[in-house]
Amino acid sequence: MRLLLAFVLALFAAVAQSADRAHDEHSAAEPATVRISAMALDLRVDFAARTLAGEVVHTLAWADPAAAGPAELVLDTRDLAIERVQARKGDGRWQRVEFSLAERDPIFGSTLRIALPSRMDAVRIRYRTSPEASGLQWMTPAMTAGGKQPLLFSQSQAIHARSWVPLQDTPGVRFTYTARIRTAAGLMALMSADNDPAARADGDYRFTMAQPIPSYLLAIAVGDFRFKAISERAGVWAEAPVLDRAAAEFSDTEKMIAATETLYGPYRWERYDLLILPASFPFGGMENPRLSFITPTVITGDKSLVSLIAHELAHSWSGNLVTNASWKDMWLNEGFTSYVENRIVEAVYGREQADMEDVVSQGGLRAELASLPPAQQVLALPPSPGRDPDEALTDVAYIKGQWFLSFLEGRFGREAFDPFLRKWFDEHAFKSVTTDDFLAFLRRELIAKNPGKLTEAELAAWIAGPGLPETAVAATSPRLAAVDAAREDWLKRRVAVAELDTSKWITQEWVHFLEGLPEDIAAERLLELDGAFRFTGTTNGEIAQRWYPITVRAGYFEARPALAQFLRKVGRRKLILPSYVALAETPDGLAFATQVLQQASAGYHPITRGAVQAVLDAAAK
């Protein structure tokens, strides 16, 4: 134990003494020399060619603007065709400048180096995207809910913005932006900016984002979108067949905003709207400021999955407002957001539901920790040059980060911790921060003012130690304990499946019930459950995510047709990857999964397609 403690403290010291945790090894940009401070986009959307084409003007802020002699601007790109680069001083004339694109790196793309005669004030780049841009998904009308118009949406996190704009693709650089987007009349363009709920679909749109944002929050969507208001500052954009159901499901959004403002200060982004995308969207949600992108898989009719909205809203404080400076400190975005999400759920839906969601998420973290190497189990991740930051997207950043903040809340009490967290957001608003920054703030604002409540060893175990520290107190839920008892009674055949009292269960209880089934459960027992509860063919993605892998491993082949339909329809990585993993464990399953992927691939986002293919490729070796 002493050796382990010494090791953890040494790791903690290494984090604290790191020269610059703000350095982003996933970007070639050189923000210490020059930063983009503002961006002006002018792009045409071409669905036939599946490209965006036009120009971007970057306003530059130099660390030493008076320095004499030539200068260089280094930007990140991936699969962009750069046609021309110009630069200018002040309001002077644009002059053509030389540029070069480095050889393409399979993860990071091609570095764009622009040679400038001096420290110019702005550069203008004419370019077009590739039809295979990793940050864009182009959908034919048949892939949409309406079935009549094509649809486009972006996914820029973590380093996919560089696939549709040449820029400094790092969360350590923030910029404001304006944009003009032109597309076919009848299609509505939306961005992570000041979308007008009353806009006419005339094909020519202008946007302004006045608050500085990092590149991963740059977002665009074009489609047959309609709007429905929830409150004066919140509403839903969606295709017509989805709009009313989405607005009803997410009708508590204004209550969530008000609850968060009570806890952590004013909402600083003016509007908060939701864009409901097709089921191919690779994530549950994306916190694009003013316009969160949302999967339709959380529309269940009973609001049991609206904690996703609470999560994306929470990012308006933790992530969008105060941002991790590099992806090795992702927990500063996702752990804080998961904590705030749970507080929103508690405020709007009650402590009972918040506790259930805590139990479920902590169980998921424990399961994931069992398969992660120790180096990936820490909150403050070590630098990972050459590695895709998407690979760091685990429950460690989300749930271990949340658990750490819950631990702090328990040690110091909400009467001290809530004002502390609000002050963190206030003092670091519109800034990019590191774990070092948070630790310094924690020691100054909480530990020093409450001596004797937290030791450096305890802090080190959370930040730099693998797994869960001894101080981690697990969440509990009487309702989920009752689910455990019901499951045990059925498994031991003390009660028949028809005798289980599930009439008031919500999604979290069903998820917990399924997650507790034994790994070697027989197919005939699944047949009993399916006959009573109709899991096969469920429209609830959280249940499907758990049910289908169980059926695969138990040899419950009756579920195969519905599983194939689910995998063809849904592209959200979290929901479908467990089934692909289970299928890939046997030759028969691998062949089935390969066939399904061939059928579904055209409708998957590139991020999802790549993740599924990696699972199947690894199994085929």
Side-chain angles (χ1 to χ4, degrees):
M1 180 62 71
R2 288 182 179 178
L3 286 175
L4 177 60
L5 178 60
F7 175 69
V8 170
L9 285 170
L11 284 176
F12 190 48
V15 170
Q17 295 171 8
S18 60
D20 185 10
R21 283 193 67 82
H23 172 70
D24 186 355
E25 60 271 26
H26 304 119
S27 169
E30 300 172 346
T33 300
V34 59
R35 289 173 174 258
I36 295 170
S37 61
M39 174 192 301
L41 282 166
D42 189 339
L43 298 173
R44 288 185 180 272
V45 182
D46 187 336
F47 277 97
R50 301 202 317 167
T51 61
L52 301 176
E55 65 180 34
V56 60
V57 176
H58 291 309
T59 301
L60 305 177
W62 295 88
D64 186 4
E72 184 179 58
L73 174 64
V74 181
L75 301 179
D76 300 302
T77 79
R78 181 190 287 145
D79 301 326
L80 298 180
I82 308 298
E83 298 172 1
R84 185 180 67 199
V85 181
Q86 297 171 298
R88 74 177 180 187
K89 274 273 195 184
D91 295 326
R93 294 179 60 183
W94 290 103
Q95 56 181 292
R96 200 152 184 164
V97 294
E98 297 297 319
F99 67 90
S100 64
L101 272 175
E103 184 177 345
R104 185 184 189 277
D105 181 275
I107 295 175
F108 303 115
S110 304
T111 300
L112 173 62
R113 295 186 178 275
I114 301 172
L116 301 172
S118 64
R119 281 154 176 73
M120 310 296 276
D121 295 322
V123 297
R124 181 165 66 186
I125 305 168
R126 178 165 289 278
Y127 71 99
R128 68 179 182 277
T129 64
S130 163
E132 304 304 321
S134 64
L136 301 174
Q137 182 167 13
W138 301 86
M139 308 190 72
T140 65
M143 298 175 181
T144 68
K148 296 179 180 179
Q149 296 279 18
L151 190 147
L152 160 71
F153 66 87
S154 65
Q155 173 56 38
S156 295
Q157 192 179 18
I159 57 171
H160 299 283
R162 66 188 67 182
S163 74
W164 63 284
V165 183
L167 77 179
Q168 293 177 315
D169 198 9
T170 169
V173 173
R174 306 178 74 100
F175 52 83
T176 59
Y177 77 86
T178 60
R180 183 182 186 186
I181 304 297
R182 282 171 278 191
T183 188
L187 293 176
M188 180 64 67
L190 303 169
M191 294 194 76
S192 51
D194 58 341
N195 301 291
D196 180 4
R200 291 173 55 249
D202 60 7
D204 194 344
Y205 308 94
R206 296 176 187 270
F207 303 93
T208 298
M209 169 49 78
Q211 293 91 348
I213 64 167
S215 58
Y216 75 91
L217 295 179
L218 187 67
I220 185 172
V222 180
D224 188 11
F225 302 129
R226 317 292 172 83
F227 179 81
K228 190 166 188 176
I230 291 174
S231 68
E232 289 186 3
R233 60 176 171 174
V236 173
W237 291 92
E239 293 179 85
V242 181
L243 184 60
D244 288 343
R245 287 191 300 120
E249 193 82 7
F250 307 136
S251 60
D252 293 332
T253 301
E254 176 60 38
K255 294 178 184 177
M256 293 183 180
I257 300 172
T260 319
E261 287 183 316
T262 298
L263 287 167
Y264 304 120
Y267 178 77
R268 306 187 194 212
W269 304 89
E270 297 168 44
R271 289 198 61 82
Y272 182 71
D273 293 325
L274 308 172
L275 172 61
I276 314 306
L277 289 169
S280 64
F281 184 51
F283 301 109
M286 180 61 213
E287 62 270 19
N288 301 312
R290 299 177 182 241
L291 187 70
S292 286
F293 287 12
I294 303 296
T295 175
T297 61
V298 295
I299 301 175
T300 58
D302 63 0
K303 297 185 179 182
S304 61
L305 297 181
V306 296
S307 59
L308 178 87
I309 307 302
H311 185 92
E312 305 312 329
L313 170 65
H315 269 301
S316 301
W317 285 261
S318 49
N320 298 6
L321 186 66
V322 184
T323 307
N324 51 226
S326 76
W327 296 113
K328 54 185 170 285
D329 282 332
M330 189 187 297
W331 79 277
L332 294 172
N333 276 22
E334 299 300 349
F336 277 64
T337 294
S338 297
Y339 174 83
V340 174
E341 167 200 344
N342 199 254
R343 295 294 302 275
I344 296 171
V345 169
E346 178 184 332
V348 178
Y349 300 104
R351 183 66 179 262
E352 189 174 57
Q353 183 159 332
D355 286 345
M356 282 195 289
E357 294 188 0
D358 256 357
V359 171
V360 170
S361 63
Q362 289 179 5
L365 171 64
R366 283 196 177 94
E368 189 167 25
L369 286 173
S371 64
L372 286 176
Q376 294 181 36
Q377 297 180 19
V378 301
L379 290 180
L381 292 166
S384 56
R387 184 175 174 220
D388 191 331
D390 282 342
E391 295 179 18
L393 200 66
T394 72
D395 272 351
V396 173
Y398 289 77
I399 309 306
K400 184 177 178 180
Q402 174 193 354
W403 207 333
F404 170 50
L405 296 180
S406 297
F407 160 75
L408 293 178
E409 175 202 309
R411 277 294 175 92
F412 294 95
R414 285 186 175 179
E415 64 279 2
F417 189 69
D418 285 354
F420 161 81
L421 203 53
R422 178 168 179 164
K423 189 173 184 180
W424 167 255
F425 295 140
D426 287 342
E427 289 196 4
H428 299 87
F430 302 108
K431 295 178 181 177
S432 298
V433 295
T434 68
T435 294
D436 296 346
D437 295 325
F438 177 71
L439 292 175
F441 186 81
L442 175 66
R443 291 184 178 107
R444 184 179 75 244
E445 296 295 334
L446 207 55
I447 296 175
K449 294 178 181 179
N450 299 273
K453 290 197 172 183
L454 181 65
T455 69
E456 283 294 311
E458 290 172 328
L459 191 56
W462 278 103
I463 298 295
L468 292 170
E470 294 178 354
T471 54
V473 178
T476 59
S477 164
R479 281 178 62 173
L480 294 189
V483 171
D484 289 331
R487 186 198 313 107
E488 185 71 7
D489 284 344
W490 175 74
L491 287 170
K492 295 289 180 63
R493 301 185 186 273
R494 292 193 285 259
V495 299
V497 68
E499 297 176 281
L500 294 175
D501 183 11
T502 63
S503 60
K504 295 182 180 179
W505 283 15
I506 63 173
T507 297
Q508 288 73 19
E509 286 159 297
W510 286 115
V511 164
H512 189 69
F513 179 87
L514 292 174
E515 287 186 340
L517 292 176
E519 292 184 4
D520 60 349
I521 190 168
E524 58 265 25
R525 304 299 321 259
L526 298 186
L527 184 61
E528 290 179 48
L529 289 176
D530 214 6
F533 304 124
R534 308 293 186 202
F535 291 135
T536 299
T538 178
T539 58
N540 187 314
E542 293 291 332
I543 293 175
Q545 174 195 349
R546 276 82 178 181
W547 173 249
Y548 288 126
I550 294 170
T551 67
V552 169
R553 294 187 172 103
Y556 181 52
F557 293 101
E558 291 87 341
R560 281 279 179 98
L563 168 57
Q565 184 178 8
F566 174 68
L567 296 178
R568 288 193 295 263
K569 179 182 178 181
V570 174
R572 184 179 171 190
R573 289 197 315 176
K574 168 193 168 184
L575 299 186
I576 65 174
L577 275 178
S579 291
Y580 276 111
V581 169
L583 287 166
E585 291 170 1
T586 65
D588 167 72
L590 180 60
F592 178 79
T594 302
Q595 181 183 33
V596 171
L597 178 60
Q598 289 173 349
Q599 299 165 347
S601 182
Y604 282 172
H605 189 281
I607 294 172
T608 299
R609 192 183 310 126
V612 173
Q613 192 63 60
V615 168
L616 303 190
D617 288 347
K621 290 180 179 178

